[in-house]
Amino acid sequence: MHKYWYKNTIVYSLDVKTFMDSDGDGIGDFQGLTQRLDHLSGLGITCLWLLPFYPSPNRDNGYDVMDYYNIDPRLGTLGDFVEFIHQARECGIRVIVDLVINHTSIEHPWFQKARSDRHSRYRDYYVWSEQPQENLSLIAFPTVEDSLWEYDDQAKAYYLHHFFKEQPDLNIANPAVREEICKIIGFWVELGVSGFRIDAASYVVEEFGMEQISQQDLHLFLEELRSFLTSRRGDAIFLAEANVKPDKISVYFNNGDRMQMLFNFLLNQYLFLALARQQAAPLRQGLQSLPQIPQSCQWLNFVRHHDELTLDCLSDSEQQEIFSAFAPQENMQIFGRGIRRRLPPMMQADTRRIQLTYSLMFSLPGTPLLYYGDEIGMGDDLSLEGRTSVRTPMQWSDEHNGGFSSAEPEALTQPMIAEGNYRYQRVNVVAEQRNPTSLVNWMERIIRLRKQCPELGEGTLSFIDVDDPGVLAHCCQWQTKAVLAVHNLTDQDCTVRLKSHPDKHLTDLFGDRQYESLGDANTIFLSAYGYRWFRISSTH
């Protein structure tokens, strides 16, 4: 296996409790997930990212952890987890899991001991103050929380929380906490995971409220984590969630000795600005604004994931353009900066635009991520609160509860989408697999092609100038191979001339439809919202 396996893997993100229920209690579990590995393998997935599955009071979808060394009993046992890892490995699928180290649940035993005994060793596992200083700009959910601090009557002090008040921040300045985090990593590596997605990484390296530690020391902590991980499993990776400006990217990659992968939040936001304007310039601007990163590092590209589509790297006017195009109603927006919708409803179920968007994501430099249900075009349920609108159960068939669970509907962990254009009776895996022109069959084809084009994961990006502002043409070259992708972001057919492309032969690899062979290799026809991928070669 290539040591940079993560550069050309296909990542699929899911929440165990909403994927497949094996025992009829209404909650997805590891046995159910194991039963559905054949679907993921058939789709072409090679890496699973699992959202938190630890014991939790679930005030924040499992990100309020009560026990880092166990499985939520509703989801199964550690034995079920190990069997799942084994079966995933048999299918050629690696597994990375969420590492939530910015905060715990208020119900974690560490915090319970910290609040009840000032002299407990666990007191310094958290950040306390009797006269706290405020910094409202650091609040993660500004429309929900109005302070970074919460007074605890039992502790008789304020504790720091960047997220919900039920999630007290861990004190990373404490060496005992850092040692505990390494133990957690070591535990799950021994059970077979291939890496970790570090939740809220930008807050992990935020020194606000901590004493006796600098931001630079916190940056070095990322190197400590990487060194420990590599010592336990040389090919394991860290994927950091850090929505930061380009000049802060080096904090996470450094010289290639910290995180191997980073979510490409900036590109994601410029992608939607380009789609809203039907112009290529914003997407090109987003790509050009990304800093050079070490060879061993990689971007993770995505269209949507389990959180909101955040737009906070864009100006207010740019955000409003995207809201107007894709989330015009207030209940489609969240936290004043994001959109809580899945892609198909945003695109008004226009298959051409949906496929165009995913074609862009798969062809841009980096590793592609799919969120569960993307492959069948699942919708959202805006009647649900907050982020849960995009976290409804997987739709497997038109049978009871969409084939997700045999439980009564009121017992489900989240309601099924049972009404409207995206109801499970209409949008489901079984129905789409029977239809040769369905989205799931299209996804299988583009995943297969992406695996055949390592240039997109490993190569050097260059732009090809064209004479139409609505068309993006880009090329990725690696070793002796090169792929050219041309995308029409507009609702009009067009014929574009490649102004700067060398006179070489272009072989069609993939497109929105069957096109005639190229006459003049520098002139390309594209239908509305059309796309074409080409292999570049020097000989016919």
Side-chain angles (χ1 to χ4, degrees):
M1 175 62 70
H2 195 290
K3 65 178 179 178
Y4 300 147
W5 62 267
Y6 46 90
K7 288 197 167 189
N8 282 295
T9 194
I10 308 296
V11 183
Y12 188 98
S13 169
L14 63 87
D15 188 340
V16 176
K17 65 177 176 288
T18 56
F19 200 64
M20 183 65 199
D21 171 22
S22 71
D23 57 10
D25 65 354
I27 302 169
D29 47 51
F30 276 103
Q31 289 190 21
L33 172 56
T34 303
Q35 294 169 9
R36 293 300 186 179
L37 284 171
D38 55 351
H39 167 73
L40 300 172
S41 177
L43 189 61
I45 302 304
T46 51
C47 181
L48 284 181
W49 156 33
L50 301 185
L51 273 61
F53 48 74
Y54 313 103
S56 165
N58 280 294
R59 292 191 178 97
D60 185 20
N61 201 48
Y63 284 92
D64 45 335
V65 178
M66 290 173 54
D67 181 359
Y68 288 102
Y69 298 101
N70 218 324
I71 303 289
D72 183 333
R74 302 175 306 161
L75 310 185
T77 66
L78 283 171
D80 293 330
F81 178 84
V82 171
E83 178 63 17
F84 154 70
I85 291 287
H86 170 73
Q87 295 297 339
R89 187 184 301 118
E90 290 293 297
C91 292
I93 298 174
R94 294 174 181 261
V95 178
I96 63 175
V97 302
D98 256 309
L99 184 65
V100 188
I101 56 176
N102 172 250
H103 49 258
T104 69
S105 167
I106 199 170
E107 297 182 28
H108 195 292
W110 297 344
F111 188 79
Q112 292 300 313
K113 293 174 182 176
R115 77 195 313 188
S116 62
D117 182 0
R118 182 179 292 271
H119 303 291
S120 167
R121 66 185 292 259
Y122 295 103
R123 184 74 168 198
D124 288 337
Y125 271 43
Y126 298 89
V127 182
W128 301 92
S129 176
E130 295 183 0
Q131 295 181 318
Q133 301 295 312
E134 195 65 84
N135 186 341
L136 299 181
S137 67
L138 294 176
I139 297 175
F141 304 134
T143 61
V144 179
E145 299 288 347
D146 57 9
S147 174
L148 288 170
W149 299 91
E150 183 71 13
Y151 186 75
D152 186 74
D153 290 329
Q154 193 172 356
K156 293 182 171 52
Y158 293 87
Y159 61 84
L160 181 68
H161 64 93
H162 282 91
F163 289 79
F164 295 117
K165 59 179 176 292
E166 295 87 2
Q167 295 168 302
D169 279 19
L170 285 167
N171 180 15
I172 305 296
N174 183 349
V177 171
R178 297 199 295 272
E179 182 179 351
E180 194 76 53
I181 291 170
C182 287
K183 288 179 182 177
I184 295 165
I185 292 170
F187 178 82
W188 293 104
V189 165
E190 287 300 314
L191 293 186
V193 306
S194 293
F196 302 86
R197 178 259 194 184
I198 298 186
D199 175 62
S202 58
Y203 292 97
V204 172
V205 296
E206 172 56 57
E207 83 277 18
F208 178 81
M210 298 182 190
E211 298 179 357
Q212 300 177 336
I213 194 166
S214 67
Q215 196 168 66
Q216 181 60 31
D217 290 332
L218 290 171
H219 295 171
L220 292 174
F221 171 57
L222 300 180
E223 293 177 30
E224 293 177 29
L225 290 181
R226 171 68 178 277
S227 178
F228 179 85
L229 179 64
T230 301
S231 72
R232 293 300 177 94
R233 179 168 176 171
D235 65 346
I237 65 164
F238 281 126
L239 163 63
E241 181 203 23
N243 181 17
V244 297
K245 298 293 177 60
D247 61 347
K248 300 293 185 182
I249 295 298
S250 61
V251 168
Y252 305 94
F253 286 143
N254 199 41
N255 296 315
D257 55 354
R258 294 179 185 172
M259 309 289 99
Q260 288 100 328
M261 298 186 76
L262 197 65
F263 283 85
N264 205 339
F265 281 100
L266 189 68
L267 180 60
N268 181 251
Q269 296 177 51
Y270 278 104
L271 167 63
F272 277 92
L273 183 60
L275 293 170
R277 291 180 176 175
Q278 298 194 18
Q279 294 180 359
L283 191 48
R284 187 163 175 165
Q285 177 186 350
L287 288 162
Q288 290 174 325
S289 66
L290 296 173
Q292 288 290 325
I293 61 176
Q295 181 188 5
S296 62
C297 297
Q298 179 69 312
W299 296 108
L300 184 68
N301 295 332
F302 60 98
V303 172
R304 290 291 289 107
H305 51 51
H306 67 294
D307 288 338
E308 71 277 8
L309 166 59
T310 185
L311 304 173
D312 55 358
C313 287
L314 304 177
S315 68
D316 289 346
S317 62
E318 290 170 336
Q319 291 181 27
Q320 288 305 314
E321 286 185 69
I322 296 175
F323 286 146
S324 296
F326 303 125
Q329 299 174 21
E330 188 174 344
N331 72 332
M332 299 173 178
Q333 304 168 18
I334 188 171
F335 302 140
R337 64 173 189 230
I339 296 175
R340 62 185 203 104
R341 308 184 76 191
R342 282 188 181 252
L343 183 71
M346 292 169 65
M347 298 297 176
Q348 299 181 327
D350 188 332
T351 301
R352 300 172 304 166
R353 300 188 75 186
I354 294 168
Q355 292 181 356
L356 168 74
T357 304
Y358 283 112
S359 177
L360 278 164
M361 189 267 285
F362 273 98
S363 67
L364 293 172
T367 295
L369 165 72
L370 289 176
Y371 183 44
Y372 81 96
D374 282 353
E375 70 271 32
I376 58 172
M378 273 179 58
D380 47 52
D381 184 349
L382 296 177
S383 71
L384 300 177
E385 183 179 354
R387 293 166 158 179
T388 57
S389 59
V390 298
R391 299 173 178 175
T392 56
M394 182 66 177
Q395 298 169 193
W396 295 104
S397 71
D398 62 1
E399 298 175 345
H400 178 73
N401 291 328
F404 163 71
S405 173
S406 61
E408 292 302 315
E410 58 269 17
L412 300 184
T413 181
Q414 294 285 353
M416 299 295 304
I417 297 178
E419 298 179 355
N421 292 334
Y422 301 97
R423 61 190 183 276
Y424 69 81
Q425 297 92 337
R426 186 172 183 269
V427 178
N428 61 72
V429 173
V430 171
E432 293 211 15
Q433 287 182 334
R434 291 199 300 259
N435 179 1
T437 63
S438 68
L439 183 60
V440 74
N441 284 306
W442 182 89
M443 282 287 188
E444 287 182 17
R445 294 199 303 276
I446 198 170
I447 287 172
R448 182 170 62 247
L449 180 62
R450 174 61 182 78
K451 290 179 176 180
Q452 296 170 6
C453 298
E455 305 94 310
L456 303 178
E458 306 251 16
T460 301
L461 170 71
S462 61
F463 295 103
I464 309 301
D465 292 330
V466 296
D467 55 5
D468 190 320
V471 174
L472 178 76
H474 70 280
C475 176
C476 290
Q477 184 166 358
W478 179 62
Q479 296 180 351
T480 60
K481 297 181 177 180
V483 169
L484 167 68
V486 187
H487 290 82
N488 177 13
L489 279 65
T490 76
D491 56 4
Q492 300 293 320
D493 295 352
C494 67
T495 300
V496 297
R497 179 170 292 277
L498 306 181
K499 295 182 178 179
S500 56
H501 192 266
D503 186 18
K504 293 188 177 182
H505 183 61
L506 300 181
T507 302
D508 266 293
L509 295 178
F510 189 69
D512 60 294
R513 65 177 179 83
Q514 191 74 34
Y515 288 93
E516 293 183 9
S517 298
L518 294 177
D520 178 352
N522 289 332
T523 302
I524 297 174
F525 175 73
L526 290 165
S527 58
Y529 304 123
Y531 48 87
R532 298 176 75 174
W533 295 21
F534 300 94
R535 172 77 66 198
I536 302 175
S537 59
S538 56
T539 59
H540 288 261

